[in-house]
Amino acid sequence: MRYDTKITFYKDNGTGYDPRTSKHIHKLISWYKWANVTDLSTKKQVELLGGIKQGTKTVRLSSKINEKWDYLTIADDPTHYRFNSSVKVLKGFAMIVGQDNG
């Protein structure tokens, strides 16, 4: 299996509230990993998710991500994906992600 797609993980590390400006301070942290990304088939979507969802993908990594993350992007595309579920595999780690509509 080729890990040929760059996956960038993002975490909003909010640092608090600034009373002088009356705004919340956000600091976005990002890091990337190489993964194998495929579209989730219609049959598998119904089996695993109970229905068909637009923009669902399977992301396979060489190891599990231990860091907390809020969303990810695939191959520097601006579309945000959120975690749906994980899949048991023999080697590495696989997860199902879906497009974030918010």
Side-chain angles (χ1 to χ4, degrees):
M1 177 179 315
R2 288 189 173 164
Y3 299 109
D4 58 353
T5 307
K6 183 180 173 183
I7 305 297
T8 307
F9 295 91
Y10 294 91
K11 179 179 177 169
D12 184 3
N13 195 9
T15 56
Y17 179 74
D18 186 355
R20 290 182 289 123
T21 61
S22 301
K23 294 183 180 180
H24 289 278
I25 302 168
H26 296 278
K27 182 178 181 185
L28 200 58
I29 298 171
S30 67
W31 65 95
Y32 72 93
K33 299 267 186 188
W34 292 97
N36 176 272
V37 179
T38 56
D39 288 322
L40 193 60
S41 70
T42 304
K43 180 180 174 184
K44 280 291 185 186
Q45 284 187 45
V46 172
E47 182 181 310
L48 295 172
L49 305 174
I52 299 172
K53 299 189 185 331
Q54 185 69 24
T56 306
K57 300 198 180 281
T58 303
V59 177
R60 293 172 193 84
L61 300 161
S62 59
S63 63
K64 186 175 180 179
I65 300 294
N66 293 325
E67 299 90 2
K68 300 278 185 197
W69 53 277
D70 295 321
Y71 65 92
L72 62 84
T73 59
I74 299 172
D76 295 326
D77 183 44
T79 306
H80 294 185
Y81 293 89
R82 300 227 185 242
F83 179 83
N84 280 347
S85 65
S86 61
V87 181
K88 188 174 182 178
V89 292
L90 294 176
K91 289 184 178 181
F93 176 71
M95 63 183 164
I96 298 170
V97 297
Q99 283 186 359
D100 183 18
N101 295 328

